[in-house]
Amino acid sequence: MATVAEMREKLRRPLAAELAAGCGDRVVAGGVERLLASPLAGPFPGVREVLRGYAELDGVARAEALGRALELLDGQEKAAKAPRPARTIKQAVPAAAPGERLPPDAEVGRLDTGPGGARKLQSLGLHTLRDVLHAYPHRHEDRRALPDLDAVEEGLKVTVEGRVTSKSRRTPKPGMLILEVTLETPAGGRVRASWFNQPWIERQLKEGARLVLTGRVKKFGRSVQLAVEHLETVEDAKGSLSTGRIVGVYDSKDGISQEFLRKAAHRTLQAVPLDDYLPAHWRRKYRVTDLGDALWGIHFPADEEQLSRANHRLRFDEYLFLELRMLLQGEDAVLQGKRFQATGSDISTFEDALPFRFTNAQRRVLLEITDDMRAERQMARLVQGDVGSGKTAVAACALYLAVRDGYQGALMAPTEILARQHFENLVGYMAKLDVRVGYLVGAMTPKAKLEMQTRIAEGEVDVVVGTQALIQENVRFDNLGLAVVDEEHRFGVMQRRKLLAGRPDVLVMSATPIPRSLALTAYGDLELSIIDELPPGRTPVETKLIQDTHRQQAYGFVMRQIREGRQAFVVTALIEENENLELLAATQLADDLRVILPEARIELLHGKMSAAEKEHIMERFRSRAFDILVSTTVIEVGVDVPNASVMVIENAERFGLSQLHQLRGRVGRGSAQSYCLLIAGEHSKKTRQRLKIIEGSTDGFVIAEADLKLRGPGEIRGTRQSGVPDLRLGDLANDTEIIEQARELAKHILAHDPKLEHPRLQYLKGELQSRSHSVAFREVI
Ligand code: ADP
Ligand code: MG
């Protein structure tokens, strides 16, 4: 027997769907009244009452009745969940009288949006009037009435105005009703408009009535037909927000109509004074329109020009706030740094000691770096390049140059495993060059740590590789000249600042391929160098997408590779936002594999292990002590196991494309053929489309662009607090110019007024604070 709550839900869903589908009484099998007659509606006599005679009602009355029914159902649910306190303590805030002005921070409840209006807005995440103002339509529909449809192509959605000259009503089959009218347009053309099974429309279809209709065009020879989606009379259409104009289409959900959202936006625009936070001279300089024009224009554009002005201004603002946020959080703008010689002969010496020659891309980036190193100001450069593109080798060269000029260098990695690997690489590169390389991580014994700290302080090591242990209190460099930070996005801004205290030049390495326009924004003040070429001789990894129903075959393939002496990674996604569950899933997977592949030696690596345990397992894997490393995503960055030739990714659909690309980069480091098997559980079309991108490309930048298009930019840098682009209109792939202008203005503003204290900037500051999601950030200004 179903509980009342279950019954309520079973009743609520079809009713909400019916409302969303336009009240045609077609959603519920057998009709709404049949549903109400069922035992399901038994516990809800009030709902039965308001929906009585539903089939006979016209569209408007149906919508109202459904709205009330849903309110009743929701109301009961609330009452059941949270018993009302005997006395309400909070005083109701009076709704704004028409014509009253409200501040943008006012709650939506202050706005008169009809019964339940505030609740609907809140359910869409819109709590203040500012939220409503900035909840822009996700698209616009041109519903300006055309004089005629003769020239219009079949399949387009258009709006037309005209007078009803004839009308018919047919029931070709029982239960099917077709209403049809012929409309004479102002230009004298004829359009046939039809409605299927919408009897309540009939009332409005009188001969001589003047209507504005929106629908899709069908053409039969010379006759033009319109399948109508929206109808208003010419009188109603006069002040209408929903027809006769370019109308916005908003993000919504079941039971919240576009008409309602348009009305809410309209009321808000009328109630809130749209004082511009950008002074007029800046608006002129950057050729952006004023805020009022922009906000009205995005919600209710008078024409295409206003819409495009609005779009431009609001995008500009998004980037401006983003840049201001980045700059306010980041380091001070331009500082004096170290000045190196970085001679050409030192570069040659370094390269000659390598077992390979630099690629052209590495050479170009090295030139960009040495230009910075030779300059007076502090270098702040991001070197971006795909996994294995040779960033570390370039950074090692820069470190060598710093050492040759008498400075110390540091390389900080996000994990101990990575620090270890960098350390070994650097020792390899510099062994012949008489450079003393040190190592400092948290897991060392206190004695070993102290010893290393002393050597660092006394200048007895030239380059130190380590983790965050490098920036702890008791680490003092004798003469730090260059700091290299790997995978910067894993470190907080504060940590970065500590490393910068001695004003060394700074090089950041990131393997996350970020499209240029986004990198500029996400990394604020860092200059960007890109290594866009892999060293020669790498065989691209062969990638295959596999349904989880074919897992056996995938692991059969893994076993064949193992028999040939190779090793395999098996990575599983974070299934829940919960480390324990993740660990459980990985453990389970390892156990399953031990059953499926009894011959293979299998071990597990997960995030709950101590750094030393992880290190130990990685070391054993590298030395081929076992065949398959089952792991949670902890191995995502950087680890080198040259003998591993297969990367299996379970639940591949749960990863972002860039993340998959990173994981795949763990294999294929040598010249032997390597493989990546993506096992996907879920197989929606969109998932397949996404994973196909990885299957088809090994170019990190292509993948990152595609990922950006499919996922939106917010997820690239991870968290909100790091000033992630929170863009509604911005299109990073195409906005480079606006981004640069916004940066210029942001820099200009802060150069003159670093804390935004000038009275003229108070609006701007207020807007910046209220649009910022991060509490920590609000404290910065
Ligand atoms: P990244 O830091 O971008 O992941 P690394 O600098 O660690 O890349 O290089 C990956 C591997 O390729 C290392 O083993 C490195 O020695 C090697 N390597 C780097 N540059 C070249 C090159 N120009 N030619 C051949 N091998 C290279
Ligand atoms: Mg690397």
Side-chain angles (χ1 to χ4, degrees), residues 391-392 422 486 638:
K391 298 180 295 294
T392 312
H422 283 320
D486 189 11

Side-chain angles (χ1 to χ4, degrees), residues 143-145 159 161 210-213 230-247 266 300-301:
R143 292 192 183 170
R144 287 173 298 186
T159 298
E161 181 191 318
R210 293 181 53 214
L211 304 176
V212 183
L213 306 177
H230 188 89
L231 162 148
E232 291 190 32
T233 65
V234 167
E235 288 83 72
D236 291 346
K238 286 255 161 61
S240 172
L241 302 176
S242 291
T243 197
R245 51 162 55 246
I246 301 178
V247 300
H266 198 256
F300 301 102

Side-chain angles (χ1 to χ4, degrees), residues 47 80 96 212 221 277 293 297 403 637 753 777 779:
V47 173
V212 183
Y277 39 77
D293 184 53
V403 172
V637 225
D753 189 354
F777 171 70
E779 287 160 5

Side-chain angles (χ1 to χ4, degrees), residues 478-764:
D478 177 38
N479 188 16
L480 183 62
L482 174 66
V484 179
V485 186
D486 189 11
E487 297 293 342
E488 181 266 357
H489 57 280
R490 304 219 160 185
F491 295 106
V493 172
M494 293 316 288
Q495 292 168 314
R496 214 186 331 153
R497 278 202 185 142
K498 278 194 184 160
L499 193 60
L500 299 184
R503 302 260 176 266
D505 277 12
V506 177
L507 203 58
V508 174
M509 306 193 283
S510 172
T512 311
I514 304 172
R516 191 172 201 110
S517 55
L518 179 54
L520 270 175
T521 302
Y523 288 98
D525 239 15
L526 298 180
E527 302 291 330
L528 184 61
S529 287
I530 297 180
I531 305 186
D532 52 5
E533 180 186 354
L534 288 182
R538 303 256 168 94
T539 314
V541 179
E542 209 172 287
T543 304
K544 195 116 192 79
L545 179 57
I546 294 167
Q547 263 310 310
D548 63 352
T549 44
H550 293 85
R551 282 175 85 228
Q552 293 280 7
Q553 284 166 4
Y555 286 108
F557 177 80
V558 168
M559 201 56 228
R560 285 197 293 281
Q561 287 284 305
I562 290 173
R563 290 202 189 100
E564 287 176 20
R566 311 304 299 270
Q567 290 163 284
F569 289 103
V570 177
V571 177
T572 179
L574 185 75
I575 293 181
E576 311 275 339
E577 291 291 321
N578 176 325
E579 251 184 283
N580 290 318
L581 289 179
E582 191 195 18
L583 169 57
L584 197 70
T587 312
Q588 184 68 49
L589 178 60
D591 288 345
D592 287 351
L593 291 182
R594 287 186 185 111
V595 174
I596 306 177
L597 308 174
E599 294 168 65
R601 295 166 298 169
I602 299 172
E603 294 198 15
L604 177 64
L605 182 77
H606 58 77
K608 290 224 142 176
M609 290 175 162
S610 73
E613 284 173 296
K614 285 187 217 161
E615 180 101 5
H616 181 64
I617 294 209
M618 283 316 296
E619 211 40 68
R620 283 168 42 75
F621 192 45
R622 222 171 293 160
S623 63
R624 305 195 195 183
F626 60 96
D627 308 306
I628 298 182
L629 179 69
V630 176
S631 157
T632 53
T633 47
V634 292
I635 61 153
E636 188 185 335
V637 225
V639 187
D640 256 338
V641 181
N643 189 51
S645 64
V646 193
M647 167 64 65
V648 181
I649 303 175
E650 291 267 2
N651 307 115
E653 75 277 5
R654 299 184 196 243
F655 290 93
L657 292 187
S658 291
Q659 210 182 356
L660 289 173
H661 178 66
Q662 298 266 300
L663 286 168
R664 177 170 62 182
R666 300 298 115 232
V667 296
R669 301 212 131 193
S671 56
Q673 182 63 59
S674 296
Y675 306 89
C676 177
L677 308 179
L678 305 172
I679 301 184
E682 180 199 308
H683 40 274
S684 73
K685 200 167 150 206
K686 183 145 188 226
T687 305
R688 223 175 15 240
Q689 194 190 352
R690 242 160 51 78
L691 295 177
K692 284 275 174 203
I693 294 171
I694 283 281
E695 205 181 34
S697 175
T698 51
D699 183 329
F701 284 85
V702 170
I703 291 166
E705 297 271 3
D707 205 16
L708 191 64
K709 287 221 173 80
L710 289 170
R711 274 158 58 108
E715 292 160 81
I716 287 203
R717 214 182 176 205
T719 57
R720 282 179 164 179
Q721 58 172 14
S722 54
V724 170
D726 188 15
L727 305 173
R728 295 171 196 221
L729 295 171
D731 168 13
L732 289 156
N734 296 309
D735 285 346
T736 316
E737 197 183 332
I738 301 184
I739 291 174
E740 275 163 14
Q741 291 179 339
R743 294 188 84 198
E744 178 188 303
L745 178 56
K747 280 186 177 173
H748 173 84
I749 292 173
L750 294 179
H752 291 84
D753 189 354
K755 297 227 151 200
L756 302 178
E757 282 158 343
H758 193 285
R760 275 224 321 257
L761 291 179
Q762 291 323 294
Y763 271 145
L764 180 71

Side-chain angles (χ1 to χ4, degrees), residues 236-404:
D236 291 346
K238 286 255 161 61
S240 172
L241 302 176
S242 291
T243 197
R245 51 162 55 246
I246 301 178
V247 300
V249 181
Y250 296 86
D251 288 335
S252 186
K253 59 184 192 185
D254 276 6
I256 302 180
S257 71
Q258 292 294 324
E259 282 74 18
F260 166 78
L261 291 171
R262 285 176 199 132
K263 211 173 284 169
H266 198 256
R267 292 256 155 86
T268 307
L269 283 163
Q270 286 175 323
V272 177
L274 304 172
D275 302 316
D276 206 327
Y277 39 77
L278 282 191
H281 63 280
W282 285 343
R283 298 202 302 265
R284 269 196 304 277
K285 173 158 186 209
Y286 293 101
R287 302 212 197 114
V288 293
T289 188
D290 67 79
L291 188 66
D293 184 53
L295 286 172
W296 276 102
I298 199 79
H299 291 284
F300 301 102
D303 49 31
E304 285 97 337
E305 286 74 39
Q306 192 189 4
L307 179 56
S308 121
R309 282 199 306 276
N311 215 294
H312 184 254
R313 163 67 199 261
L314 296 172
R315 262 186 357 233
F316 183 85
D317 287 10
E318 287 185 349
Y319 290 118
L320 177 67
F321 289 127
L322 192 62
E323 300 294 350
L324 282 171
R325 229 170 283 160
M326 290 306 304
L327 293 174
L328 281 163
Q329 279 183 327
E331 299 84 42
D332 324 2
V334 174
L335 293 165
Q336 181 161 342
K338 305 293 183 228
R339 186 168 189 166
F340 301 92
Q341 304 273 314
T343 65
S345 79
D346 284 343
I347 297 177
S348 307
T349 308
F350 183 83
E351 198 177 358
D352 290 344
L354 291 177
F356 49 78
R357 310 298 297 167
F358 281 130
T359 61
N360 288 332
Q362 282 173 309
R363 222 174 278 286
R364 174 171 42 74
V365 168
L366 196 53
L367 279 180
E368 290 164 1
I369 291 170
T370 49
D371 274 354
D372 281 2
M373 288 178 74
R374 291 182 195 123
E376 190 74 50
R377 66 188 179 88
Q378 185 184 33
M379 169 164 73
R381 183 168 287 279
L382 171 68
V383 176
Q384 203 174 79
D386 223 338
V387 188
S389 61
K391 298 180 295 294
T392 312
V394 168
C397 182
L399 287 166
Y400 174 70
L401 296 174
V403 172
R404 288 289 294 166

